[in-house]
């Protein structure tokens, strides 16, 4: 659910007019800050749906300027974590860290957004692992039925497109596809922010503007989604 569709009112706005909201909770040991990118896996073309899972895993490996081992070691020393995920309507970046390390962890997250590991070796290795996992899922008939039935019944409405592709679609994904869809899925033009933890909201806002937003970020424009009207999208007959 996006901020706009939930009817929430932001407490303030970023320099590019993106909503920023949060809650100060000094009882929490760490701050968790989210960048929410509207659009999600539902905007990825059907033949490329599996690309989203490959992309998430590549982003988890850190920026191109560091090895995966260096990145994980740095996060460990900072007691921080950065995670990427995509659902049907949104993709998200979450950064968690103690108050004193939040700025540095957000900087690392910003480095990943600015320069992911889009090299042939990382892509090929990640793709092979995702295909192996997806192939094993195909052996579970309950998974197969659920995967295909929901998409078929609702005519592949974007709300049902969660980024899980078939083995066939995964095999066809190319590195250039990953690069192109990344710029659509993690687009600052459709990104708003929220946070919770012990750090004052204005301080988090300042960190986010410095570390996650570009020097001159695009103005925020919310994405308007078509609601899933069951009667309109469902098949006329469920007979198989």
């Amino acid at each position: 659910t996006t901020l706009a569709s939930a009817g929430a009112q932001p407490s303030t706005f970023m320099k590019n007019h993106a909503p920023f909201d949060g809650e100060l909770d000094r009882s929490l040991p760490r701050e968790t800050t989210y960048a929410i990118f509207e659009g999600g896996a539902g905007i990825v073309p059907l033949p490329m749906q599996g690309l989203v899972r490959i992309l998430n895993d590549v982003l988890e490996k850190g920026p191109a300027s560091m090895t995966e081992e260096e990145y994980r070691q740095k996060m460990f020393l900072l007691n921080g974590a950065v995670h990427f995920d995509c659902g049907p309507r949104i993709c998200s970046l979450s950064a968690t860290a103690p108050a004193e390390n939040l700025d540095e962890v957000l900087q690392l997250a910003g480095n990943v957004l600015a320069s992911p590991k889009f090299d042939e070796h990382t892509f090929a290795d990640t793709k092979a692992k995702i295909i192996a996992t997806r192939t094993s899922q195909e052996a579970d008939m309950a998974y197969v039925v659920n995967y295909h039935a929901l998409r078929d019944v609702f005519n592949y409405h974007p709300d049902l497109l969660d980024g899980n592709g078939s083995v066939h679609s995964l095999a066809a994904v190319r590195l250039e596809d990953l690069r192109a869809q990344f710029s659509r899925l993690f687009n600052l033009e459709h990104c708003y922010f929220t946070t919770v933890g012990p750090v004052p909201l204005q301080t988090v806002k300042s960190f986010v503007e410095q570390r996650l937003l570009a020097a001159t970020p695009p103005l925020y424009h919310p994405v308007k989604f078509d609601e899933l009207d069951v009667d309109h999208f469902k098949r006329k007959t469920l007979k198989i």
Side-chain angles (χ1 to χ4, degrees):
T1 304
T2 65
L3 189 69
S5 64
Q9 295 298 318
S11 57
T12 186
F13 293 89
M14 310 298 283
K15 61 184 179 182
N16 68 334
H17 302 169
F20 175 84
D21 204 356
E23 181 178 348
L24 179 64
D25 187 343
R26 299 192 186 279
S27 69
L28 295 176
R30 298 194 296 173
E31 186 81 19
T32 298
T33 303
Y34 295 91
I36 309 296
F37 299 83
E38 299 173 327
I43 68 173
V44 176
L46 279 174
M48 296 185 191
Q49 275 294 298
L51 171 149
V52 173
R53 295 292 162 246
I54 299 174
L55 177 60
N56 283 345
D57 275 28
V58 168
L59 295 176
E60 294 279 338
K61 297 179 185 298
S65 59
M66 304 172 74
T67 67
E68 185 178 357
E69 292 72 22
E70 290 171 338
Y71 178 67
R72 295 191 185 283
Q73 176 72 1
K74 186 68 172 178
M75 281 295 181
F76 175 78
L77 294 174
L78 292 171
N79 192 20
V82 172
H83 293 299
F84 295 85
D85 193 21
C86 280
R89 290 196 174 196
I90 63 170
C91 289
S92 65
L93 177 164
S94 66
T96 302
E100 64 272 18
N101 296 336
L102 179 64
D103 188 33
E104 195 167 356
V105 169
L106 285 172
Q107 178 66 75
L108 288 170
N111 291 346
V112 178
L113 285 179
S115 182
K117 288 184 182 299
F118 287 161
D119 60 87
E120 288 288 353
H121 173 75
T122 302
F123 170 70
D125 184 58
T126 306
K127 177 178 173 179
K129 290 177 181 177
I130 296 295
I131 288 178
T133 299
R134 189 66 182 81
T135 301
S136 68
Q137 290 173 327
E138 293 270 348
D140 180 355
M141 188 52 64
Y143 179 91
V144 173
V145 170
N146 183 65
Y147 174 85
H148 290 285
L150 282 175
R151 289 161 173 75
D152 184 62
V153 166
F154 294 108
N155 291 321
Y156 289 83
H157 186 277
D159 278 2
L160 277 300
L161 302 181
D162 57 4
N164 282 312
S166 65
V167 173
H168 177 74
S169 68
L170 279 163
V173 174
R174 302 166 301 168
L175 180 55
E176 50 264 43
D177 299 326
L178 205 69
R179 292 193 181 104
Q181 294 303 316
F182 168 73
S183 63
R184 297 182 68 211
L185 292 168
F186 290 88
N187 183 351
L188 287 174
E189 185 178 345
H190 307 303
C191 180
Y192 62 88
F193 304 87
T194 185
T195 191
V196 62
V199 184
L201 297 185
Q202 195 59 39
T203 301
V204 179
K205 178 177 177 291
S206 177
F207 287 164
V208 170
E209 288 184 326
Q210 294 176 53
R211 307 308 184 190
L212 297 186
L213 290 181
T216 54
L219 288 178
Y220 169 73
H221 293 290
V223 174
K224 184 177 181 180
F225 295 100
D226 291 329
E227 295 296 329
L228 175 51
D229 183 335
V230 173
D231 290 330
H232 174 72
F233 281 98
K234 72 179 182 182
R235 290 164 55 98
K236 291 182 172 58
T237 174
L238 298 183
K239 183 178 180 181
I240 297 174

